[in-house]
Amino acid sequence: MKLHNIYSKVKVAAALTLPLGGVAGGLLLSACSDFLEIKPQNEIIFEDFWNEKTDVDAIVAGCYSAMQSDPIIRRMMIWGEFRSDNITAGLNIQDDINLENIFKENITASNGYTHWVDFYNVINRCNIVIKYAPQVADRDPSYTESELAATIAEVSALRDLCWFYLIRTFRDVPYTNEAFTDDDQAMALPASKFDDILADLISDLEEQQNYAVRRYPETKENYQTGRITQEAIHAMLCEMYLWKKDYANCIRYADLVIKAKKEQREEEENRSTSMQQHSTNQFNGYPLISEKVMDNYWGSAYNAIFGTGNSSESIFELTFNKENQNMLSNSAVNALYGNPEAVVGLAKPSDFISEDGENDNWSVFTNKYDTRAYELRNEAGALKGIAKYVKRGLEISTTTATQPELISSGYMYAKDKNKSNWIIYRLTDIMLLKAEALVEQVTTTVDSLQSDDEKARNDQLLSQAFSLVNAINKRSICQTQLKDTLLQADYNTKTLMSDLVLRERQRELMFEGKRWYDLVRRAQRDGNTSVLSKLATQKVTENKGGIQTKLARMDAIYWPYNLEELKVNNNLTQNPAFGSGENGSYEKTN
């Protein structure tokens, strides 16, 4: 039917029932069918709703509420993580056959997680704001020109973020920034190319960045990281330029983010002497939160970043109201990662990760005192689930005689009451994106043929990348006296440093919806899937050869278009790795 189309729009009924509260508000429901039958939609929009700045604010709040919905966050998790080596099927996986098939790399066009309508829904909400907010500014004198520009910059970036998720997942997608408000508008568009969309997103963000809010007042708690700001746009541009292989601009925007975070930390330390333990001097000049709580106790960084949330390292996260248990909860994390009644959710760490450290064999977290190895584990007897986002508090202890051990398994969110914020960007993510861009600028000329200038430049690039990685790694290791935990001499080539950055991103950002996209970006850059296929199939115990054969094709690392979309949009052509879409075959059809 027509409403299954990706451009099934946000009808005015929905626009009129968006939350009027804060970012964490849920959708309000009302019966508007009679009202809609009386007046055309465009008359309702202009005459009855789009009159004051508060009307615009309500729609913008609705955009964020839509981003917080279970279908959106669930797909951020599944699209960005579940096909990677980090994660595999957990308990009761038979209750979700679509997810079970993803873990088996048996993805077809009928898989429910290939639906993308929720992202297009947010995109259209944002486009509606961009279309009608200027008319409100004409009507409401209190809605200033600068406020209007900030609104448009904010929703433009939120829309661009949704597009970015779509192209990283599906590669080529139907693309338009027209606001759909009328059933008569043509919606069935062909897919635009990945590179073309990416270039357009970058151009849009470049244009909007200076209009975005730079700093919210302190009275608006959590707005600085719970809303799109100039800093969030810089983070998006940093990553987008990396995907574009424009490494100089990636580094430029990473530096803007890092500079802003340093200034923020300096301001905080000047106001409070108790923050001296977080001094940037500890971590190679980067403003990271210390993991140390006190002697032999660790977990401070985890508790600030994933427990309390909206930490000084945060750039943008979807914020849930922790004070009111009746407000919207993070149901996606509750179901997929676990809760007190189901310590292992539908997903769990891959066996080789959850067993890391057994028999003193540390293969992923190569230092047995790495706190991140314990932040990821949520143990119930022999079962090992995911702790990150599931635990609202964590405590790790060390002694001189033994390796670190988790001494508290409490502080979990209650079932169906998970209030963990879903983090989109944080400082260490940007630092590692910069490290990746630095390494990619290293030339691969044979050493004996390099000029002195070329060798000096390469050495400097490797040194800068190492400093970023080492700061993050050093922060994570339980040490009474901070010292470097990695040796730069061990990573003195482009290949070695590139592998180090990829491993550190895995350790630092595990289960945050990043790993599969990191592997896809690597495959795009290499022009083949050899690294992706090798790493992603580490967790596989059945049909490993068959899955490696599938993943050998570049087309197969993206997702198929859902069958329902193909039925209503004749201009879409299925990803050739998935055949016609009718049977989910990986056989090429042309």
Side-chain angles (χ1 to χ4, degrees), residues 1 12 76 94 100 129 241 463 502 508 536:
M1 59 186 290
V12 177
M76 287 179 174
Q94 68 279 359
E100 185 176 20
V129 173
Y241 273 121
S463 179
L502 188 61
E508 177 69 13

PDB file of all heavy atoms in Angstrom, residues 1 12 76 94 100 129 241 463 502 508 536:
ATOM      1  N   MET A   1       0.838  -1.186   0.000  1.00  0.00           N
ATOM      2  CA  MET A   1       0.000   0.000   0.000  1.00  0.00           C
ATOM      3  C   MET A   1       0.876   1.241   0.000  1.00  0.00           C
ATOM      4  O   MET A   1       2.051   1.188   0.348  1.00  0.00           O
ATOM      5  CB  MET A   1      -0.945  -0.008   1.204  1.00  0.00           C
ATOM      6  CG  MET A   1      -0.226  -0.056   2.563  1.00  0.00           C
ATOM      7  SD  MET A   1      -1.375  -0.227   3.945  1.00  0.00           S
ATOM      8  CE  MET A   1      -2.161   1.368   3.922  1.00  0.00           C
ATOM      9  N   VAL A  12      -0.172  15.823   9.121  1.00  0.00           N
ATOM     10  CA  VAL A  12      -0.386  16.930  10.037  1.00  0.00           C
ATOM     11  C   VAL A  12      -0.932  16.423  11.365  1.00  0.00           C
ATOM     12  O   VAL A  12      -0.653  16.964  12.415  1.00  0.00           O
ATOM     13  CB  VAL A  12      -1.335  17.967   9.415  1.00  0.00           C
ATOM     14  CG1 VAL A  12      -1.627  19.086  10.392  1.00  0.00           C
ATOM     15  CG2 VAL A  12      -0.722  18.520   8.157  1.00  0.00           C
ATOM     16  N   MET A  76      20.201   1.646  15.014  1.00  0.00           N
ATOM     17  CA  MET A  76      21.553   2.168  15.219  1.00  0.00           C
ATOM     18  C   MET A  76      22.455   1.085  15.804  1.00  0.00           C
ATOM     19  O   MET A  76      23.627   0.965  15.428  1.00  0.00           O
ATOM     20  CB  MET A  76      21.514   3.377  16.161  1.00  0.00           C
ATOM     21  CG  MET A  76      20.950   4.639  15.558  1.00  0.00           C
ATOM     22  SD  MET A  76      20.922   5.979  16.787  1.00  0.00           S
ATOM     23  CE  MET A  76      20.395   7.365  15.772  1.00  0.00           C
ATOM     24  N   GLN A  94      15.578 -17.108  19.583  1.00  0.00           N
ATOM     25  CA  GLN A  94      14.516 -17.679  18.758  1.00  0.00           C
ATOM     26  C   GLN A  94      13.263 -16.809  18.765  1.00  0.00           C
ATOM     27  O   GLN A  94      12.389 -16.951  17.905  1.00  0.00           O
ATOM     28  CB  GLN A  94      14.171 -19.105  19.231  1.00  0.00           C
ATOM     29  CG  GLN A  94      13.516 -19.198  20.598  1.00  0.00           C
ATOM     30  CD  GLN A  94      14.500 -19.123  21.742  1.00  0.00           C
ATOM     31  OE1 GLN A  94      15.716 -19.017  21.540  1.00  0.00           O
ATOM     32  NE2 GLN A  94      13.995 -19.207  22.965  1.00  0.00           N
ATOM     33  N   GLU A 100      18.093 -13.316  14.566  1.00  0.00           N
ATOM     34  CA  GLU A 100      18.831 -14.575  14.481  1.00  0.00           C
ATOM     35  C   GLU A 100      19.447 -14.745  13.098  1.00  0.00           C
ATOM     36  O   GLU A 100      20.601 -15.170  12.960  1.00  0.00           O
ATOM     37  CB  GLU A 100      17.898 -15.744  14.798  1.00  0.00           C
ATOM     38  CG  GLU A 100      18.601 -17.092  14.851  1.00  0.00           C
ATOM     39  CD  GLU A 100      17.666 -18.211  15.264  1.00  0.00           C
ATOM     40  OE1 GLU A 100      16.429 -18.050  15.145  1.00  0.00           O
ATOM     41  OE2 GLU A 100      18.165 -19.265  15.702  1.00  0.00           O
ATOM     42  N   VAL A 129      10.030  21.338   9.283  1.00  0.00           N
ATOM     43  CA  VAL A 129      10.467  22.490  10.077  1.00  0.00           C
ATOM     44  C   VAL A 129      11.189  23.498   9.194  1.00  0.00           C
ATOM     45  O   VAL A 129      10.939  24.712   9.260  1.00  0.00           O
ATOM     46  CB  VAL A 129      11.381  22.042  11.241  1.00  0.00           C
ATOM     47  CG1 VAL A 129      11.969  23.267  11.957  1.00  0.00           C
ATOM     48  CG2 VAL A 129      10.623  21.172  12.231  1.00  0.00           C
ATOM     49  N   TYR A 241      34.024  13.518   6.432  1.00  0.00           N
ATOM     50  CA  TYR A 241      35.217  13.739   5.619  1.00  0.00           C
ATOM     51  C   TYR A 241      36.121  12.507   5.620  1.00  0.00           C
ATOM     52  O   TYR A 241      36.807  12.235   4.618  1.00  0.00           O
ATOM     53  CB  TYR A 241      35.982  14.966   6.112  1.00  0.00           C
ATOM     54  CG  TYR A 241      35.513  16.265   5.501  1.00  0.00           C
ATOM     55  CD1 TYR A 241      35.030  17.304   6.300  1.00  0.00           C
ATOM     56  CD2 TYR A 241      35.561  16.467   4.120  1.00  0.00           C
ATOM     57  CE1 TYR A 241      34.611  18.502   5.727  1.00  0.00           C
ATOM     58  CE2 TYR A 241      35.142  17.653   3.548  1.00  0.00           C
ATOM     59  CZ  TYR A 241      34.668  18.671   4.353  1.00  0.00           C
ATOM     60  OH  TYR A 241      34.246  19.852   3.777  1.00  0.00           O
ATOM     61  N   SER A 463      53.650   9.536  14.785  1.00  0.00           N
ATOM     62  CA  SER A 463      53.800   9.954  16.175  1.00  0.00           C
ATOM     63  C   SER A 463      52.528  10.628  16.689  1.00  0.00           C
ATOM     64  O   SER A 463      52.085  10.378  17.822  1.00  0.00           O
ATOM     65  CB  SER A 463      54.984  10.907  16.308  1.00  0.00           C
ATOM     66  OG  SER A 463      55.130  11.350  17.642  1.00  0.00           O
ATOM     67  N   LEU A 502      42.491   0.657  14.505  1.00  0.00           N
ATOM     68  CA  LEU A 502      41.272  -0.135  14.349  1.00  0.00           C
ATOM     69  C   LEU A 502      40.996  -0.963  15.602  1.00  0.00           C
ATOM     70  O   LEU A 502      39.849  -1.074  16.049  1.00  0.00           O
ATOM     71  CB  LEU A 502      41.395  -1.048  13.124  1.00  0.00           C
ATOM     72  CG  LEU A 502      40.137  -1.813  12.710  1.00  0.00           C
ATOM     73  CD1 LEU A 502      39.004  -0.863  12.358  1.00  0.00           C
ATOM     74  CD2 LEU A 502      40.434  -2.754  11.543  1.00  0.00           C
ATOM     75  N   GLU A 508      37.613   0.625  22.610  1.00  0.00           N
ATOM     76  CA  GLU A 508      37.030   1.814  23.230  1.00  0.00           C
ATOM     77  C   GLU A 508      35.538   1.951  22.961  1.00  0.00           C
ATOM     78  O   GLU A 508      34.776   2.397  23.816  1.00  0.00           O
ATOM     79  CB  GLU A 508      37.766   3.060  22.730  1.00  0.00           C
ATOM     80  CG  GLU A 508      37.225   4.385  23.243  1.00  0.00           C
ATOM     81  CD  GLU A 508      37.459   4.622  24.722  1.00  0.00           C
ATOM     82  OE1 GLU A 508      38.267   3.867  25.330  1.00  0.00           O
ATOM     83  OE2 GLU A 508      36.854   5.550  25.287  1.00  0.00           O
ATOM     84  N   ALA A 536      35.115 -10.161  10.821  1.00  0.00           N
ATOM     85  CA  ALA A 536      33.700 -10.392  11.115  1.00  0.00           C
ATOM     86  C   ALA A 536      33.388 -11.860  11.327  1.00  0.00           C
ATOM     87  O   ALA A 536      32.443 -12.204  12.056  1.00  0.00           O
ATOM     88  CB  ALA A 536      32.836  -9.825   9.993  1.00  0.00           C
TER      89      ALA A 536
END
